[in-house]
Amino acid sequence: MLTLEAEQTSALDYTKLNNGIQDTFAAIDRFEWQAIDELRLMLDNHYYQDGGHVSFEDYCESELTKHGGYRRVKDLFAAKRVVDTLPEELRPHITKPSQTRSLLRLVKTPDKLEQAVAISQQKKNPSPLPQTSPKQCSKSHQQLNAPQKAKTQKRNCVILSQFHNSHTLVMEIRG
């Protein structure tokens, strides 16, 4: 009886702690998006000059060093650019800036970006096309004889990562 009670308490502790962890990470994701908006406001209105900084980059390096400095800010702005390129109905599928890193290369081709996000959302654990690992892509490039075919094959291997609960999605998008 004592063991059953201890197991129940342990399960409750796990559930409570796990829920707290999940909530904290969700809050972090929300605050990252909020930080992007605030950084954009700081940049667009030149508020950094009010703090004695000669440039936005200088502001980031001196005030935000412990948070990644200018490099992190550029990454956050890139994430926002990816989301802003998507149609309204697909934007909610990107829940955190880290999901956009591998999508950034598709911003110049919005139709492919939209296709990549839409396909990845069709299933909870997306694997819309046969999965191809980065090593398999590299190997296939080496095995091709004609340089033009290698260029085409390399262009078609797009790696989309950290989608849906940090599962890695490797997808081939043909253009």
Side-chain angles (χ1 to χ4, degrees), residues 49-66:
Q49 292 173 343
D50 295 342
H53 301 285
V54 294
S55 68
F56 182 71
E57 184 176 351
D58 175 53
Y59 161 76
C60 293
E61 288 305 321
S62 63
E63 299 290 338
L64 305 175
T65 299
K66 69 179 183 177

Side-chain angles (χ1 to χ4, degrees), residues 128-158:
L129 298 172
Q131 291 200 357
T132 307
S133 72
K135 287 182 181 179
Q136 288 172 324
C137 284
S138 297
K139 196 178 243 185
S140 67
H141 303 316
Q142 293 167 358
Q143 292 172 348
L144 293 169
N145 293 329
Q148 185 60 34
K149 285 184 181 178
K151 277 185 182 177
T152 303
Q153 181 70 19
K154 193 176 251 184
R155 211 177 321 124
N156 288 339
C157 289
V158 177

Side-chain angles (χ1 to χ4, degrees), residues 80-93:
K80 180 75 167 146
R81 193 166 54 248
V82 169
V83 171
D84 288 348
T85 303
L86 288 169
E88 290 289 330
E89 66 272 7
L90 292 177
R91 290 179 184 181
H93 296 299

Side-chain angles (χ1 to χ4, degrees), residues 8-135:
Q8 288 175 338
T9 302
S10 178
L12 290 174
D13 289 342
Y14 166 80
T15 301
K16 184 177 179 181
L17 185 57
N18 182 51
N19 288 343
I21 291 168
Q22 298 292 333
D23 291 345
T24 300
F25 277 114
I28 290 169
D29 295 338
R30 280 192 311 273
F31 285 127
E32 266 190 316
W33 292 116
Q34 180 180 337
I36 293 169
D37 293 337
E38 292 168 349
L39 287 163
R40 179 54 62 189
L41 190 62
M42 177 72 76
L43 174 62
D44 291 348
N45 294 312
H46 304 279
Y47 290 142
Y48 56 86
Q49 292 173 343
D50 295 342
H53 301 285
V54 294
S55 68
F56 182 71
E57 184 176 351
D58 175 53
Y59 161 76
C60 293
E61 288 305 321
S62 63
E63 299 290 338
L64 305 175
T65 299
K66 69 179 183 177
H67 303 290
Y70 187 61
R71 182 179 178 167
R72 172 93 184 279
V73 170
K74 286 189 339 183
D75 289 345
L76 291 172
F77 283 162
K80 180 75 167 146
R81 193 166 54 248
V82 169
V83 171
D84 288 348
T85 303
L86 288 169
E88 290 289 330
E89 66 272 7
L90 292 177
R91 290 179 184 181
H93 296 299
I94 306 293
T95 58
K96 52 188 168 187
S98 62
Q99 291 176 316
T100 65
R101 286 187 194 117
S102 57
L103 296 171
L104 186 58
R105 66 170 38 138
L106 297 175
V107 167
K108 293 180 181 176
T109 53
D111 56 325
K112 288 184 181 182
L113 175 62
E114 184 178 339
Q115 178 187 11
V117 174
I119 289 172
S120 71
Q121 297 306 313
Q122 287 177 354
K123 299 179 182 177
K124 187 171 185 157
N125 185 7
S127 57
L129 298 172
Q131 291 200 357
T132 307
S133 72
K135 287 182 181 179

